[in-house]
Amino acid sequence: MTSTPQRDTATHCPYCAFQCGMRLSGPREAAVVDGDEAFPVNKGALCIKGWTSAAPLAHPDRLLSPLVRNGAGELVPSTWDEALDRMVEAFRSARTDYGADAVGIFGGGSLTNEKAYLLGKFARVALGTANIDYNGRFCMSSAAAASIRALGIDRGLPFPLEDIVGAEVVLLAGSNVAETMPPIMQYFEAQHASGGVLVVSDPRRTATAAAADLHLRLTPGTDAVLANGLLHLLIRDNLIDHDYIRERTEGFERVRQIAATYWPERVERITGIPEAELLQTARLLGRAKTAMILTGRGAEQQAQGVTNVLSCIKLALALGKVGRPNSGYGCLTGQGNGQGGREHGQKADQLPGYRLIADPAARQHVAAVWDFPEEELPGPGKSAYELLDSLGPEGGIRSLLVLGSNVMVSAPHGNNIRERLEALDFLAVSDFFLSETALLADVVLPSAQWAEEEGTMTNLEGRVIRRRRAYDPPEGVLTDLELLERLAARLGRERWFTYTGPEAVFEELRAASAGGVADYSGITYEKIETGQGVFWPCPSVDHPGTPRLFAESFPTSSGRARFHPVLHRSPAEEPDEDFPLYLTTGRVLAQYQSGTQTRRIAELEGMASEPLAEINPTTAERYGLSDGDMLTLETRRGAARVRARLTEAIRPDTVFTPFHWPNEQSANLLTNPALDPTSRMPEFKVCAVRIVKE
Ligand code: SF4
């Protein structure tokens, strides 16, 4: 693999939704990364994942030609023609024998907007299948569904990050940003330096909780109880904003009645948070002129994730803070393009611009942009876990294309996922390494990496930014846009998939999103270039973009925000005699998601080479465990071997283990696929577990 030295290229980190600005220089084999001080979000700061992000570009494991499975069951190098022919044959025969919905597509939250958009179009126009969804369903869907229901729109942060600095109080519910996106801490540090207070609710004393002024160490799965309990105290002590509630919201009365049932003693009993801390938090929030409530995956990745987020939003509404300066509710998106990836059509129920595929007007608009018969567009398909659970003869999806996702490691109930993938007639995976999912494939397609493609990403603030190409892809490697175009041509759909490059795809995305909730029609590559990004919605080329939402009204039918009277439920699975502890899962600083990239980077492996199960010393004593012992975690779905890390940071009734590792170390062999009824988010964050000492 060779490449000539490139000029200094300003682009963005391939990993999380903070999308740090960085500069790449030098040849691919020795690419040098530097933080981009001109980019106003990270201001030059990067975390260790960003600093080492160029290492996979010339990694020896990199796939440089397609692979196909031969008669002996081995994956062997092949040509693009053979790989694409096999795919087309498999898709055609599934469609002929079982119908169009027998072909599934599984996308990813790290794909550029252009790729996510084209993948959605490919599913509907080239394959005619309803069954497309993506791994962002496992990340953002609860916050998205709750925000739409309460505020009328889902944009993770409805304000720029800089607004955090001026917030007197921030309540961060279930987010460990100090490890998952460390450069964001500069905003919390500046907030602290200005006299602001940070409160973190989390079952673990994470690095973020340790940096907070107050840590509410709640029982896993009780986030909605905490929010309702705080609302109870705010109402009781008359710390709510009556004028705001009257003028800008609807539905408060029923919420007030529900909050009355969350008296402090009850909330303390369920959450484990002392009444004094509840009162302290309520007073901090209620007396602050500016206050924010932010949620992360801890509160969202539950079978009641939507309820948890709605409860946090109603707290922010009752305080009268949503749409006010340095205040409001926001969700901290996780995956690199977790925001843009959920806006333009790779979700089962969605068309570009955050339109709903079941909405006749939305279908007409998009069909007209695509010049495609509206009646041939399929309807809504299955959500991510349900799609994966439907693979094989029983569920009816016989062929699957996976793009930019490693579901063998990242999806819940890993034993079931393996069985389902193995039950397929045909599996194709596009990736740049032989991921655990690719290892099961019939065809593997080598794809270009982040620094080898052009496109746009949308960061956690809703700021649309440019990903720029520093290197051409290695010989034999295609971008996913090129892959989709070639596949569509072989499927006889060339007419709808002929573009001159990523910008041409973006131009079509602009038209398809025009008038939609996520309106990108006024955003151009040039405008992003000159403005360090553009915040959507941006409905015309002379529109400056919308950094802050809700100042005047909410995009609901009444223009008001909606309180939702939701009661908490218990987690789908709680500790009992057989499985006496809670299990919660998450990320660590030196690894990212399924680890396909980061587990191949020596510096990161040096920092975190295996999953460490955090266990409280008093719990460890009961099991006769010492720090560093190997143990097996068992749930009703599977077992994982991990090493014990004894720490007071975790509650005695809870075990934490990260999910970045595969095979017998995979935390997702343990997790519960119980789904939120609205968002279809699996319950990654709570299940019942037992420890077996080796
Ligand atoms: Fe920035 Fe996230 Fe990349 Fe770290 S992983 S450098 S926080 S974008």
Side-chain angles (χ1 to χ4, degrees), residues 45-129:
L46 300 174
C47 78
I48 184 68
K49 295 186 290 291
W51 288 115
T52 56
S53 59
L57 292 170
H59 194 281
D61 289 354
R62 181 127 192 227
L63 296 171
L64 297 173
S65 79
L67 305 175
V68 298
R69 201 165 289 282
N70 66 13
E74 300 156 333
L75 280 173
V76 294
S78 114
T79 62
W80 274 99
D81 278 340
E82 185 186 0
L84 295 177
D85 283 347
R86 280 219 200 177
M87 290 175 72
V88 167
E89 191 187 320
F91 292 162
R92 280 210 171 115
S93 83
R95 188 186 162 102
T96 304
D97 295 346
Y98 308 108
D101 290 346
V103 182
I105 299 277
F106 200 92
S110 59
L111 303 179
T112 60
N113 291 320
E114 290 78 356
K115 292 198 285 189
Y117 167 81
L118 204 64
L119 193 61
K121 182 179 176 186
F122 179 81
R124 278 68 179 238
V125 172
L127 295 172
T129 180

Side-chain angles (χ1 to χ4, degrees), residues 621-644:
E621 199 180 332
R622 280 212 319 272
Y623 290 89
L625 285 168
S626 301
D627 197 55
D629 283 355
M630 288 303 296
L631 60 100
T632 301
L633 295 175
E634 287 182 2
T635 68
R636 289 183 175 83
R637 292 154 296 281
R641 286 189 79 232
V642 291
R643 194 177 296 283

Side-chain angles (χ1 to χ4, degrees), residues 13 15-16 18-20 46-47 49-50 180-183:
C13 175
Y15 299 119
C16 85
F18 207 65
Q19 283 297 292
C20 289
L46 300 174
C47 78
K49 295 186 290 291
T180 56
M181 49 177 70

Side-chain angles (χ1 to χ4, degrees), residues 172 174-180 200-212 214-220 223 298 582-589 612-616 645 647-660 685:
L172 193 51
S175 178
N176 182 17
V177 283
E179 283 204 69
T180 56
V200 170
S201 63
D202 200 306
R204 302 167 61 211
R205 187 167 175 79
T206 60
T208 315
L214 178 60
H215 173 205
L216 308 174
R217 200 162 74 149
L218 80 176
T219 304
D223 305 79
Y582 289 104
L583 174 72
T584 190
T585 64
R587 290 167 48 191
V588 297
L589 168 65
L612 298 178
E614 291 185 3
I615 300 171
N616 188 284
R645 178 175 174 226
T647 170
E648 298 280 356
I650 192 82
R651 296 165 52 100
D653 60 1
T654 305
V655 176
F656 165 83
T657 191
F659 69 87
H660 310 290
K685 284 294 191 261

Side-chain angles (χ1 to χ4, degrees), residues 319-335:
L319 289 163
K321 296 294 189 261
V322 182
R324 295 257 170 89
N326 304 100
S327 295
Y329 163 76
C331 147
L332 297 166
T333 297
Q335 289 195 83

Side-chain angles (χ1 to χ4, degrees), residues 80 84 403 430 445 479-487:
W80 274 99
L84 295 177
L403 221 78
S430 174
L445 307 147
T479 68
D480 285 328
L481 292 179
E482 291 166 336
L483 163 69
L484 294 175
E485 284 182 63
R486 288 195 191 186
L487 268 177

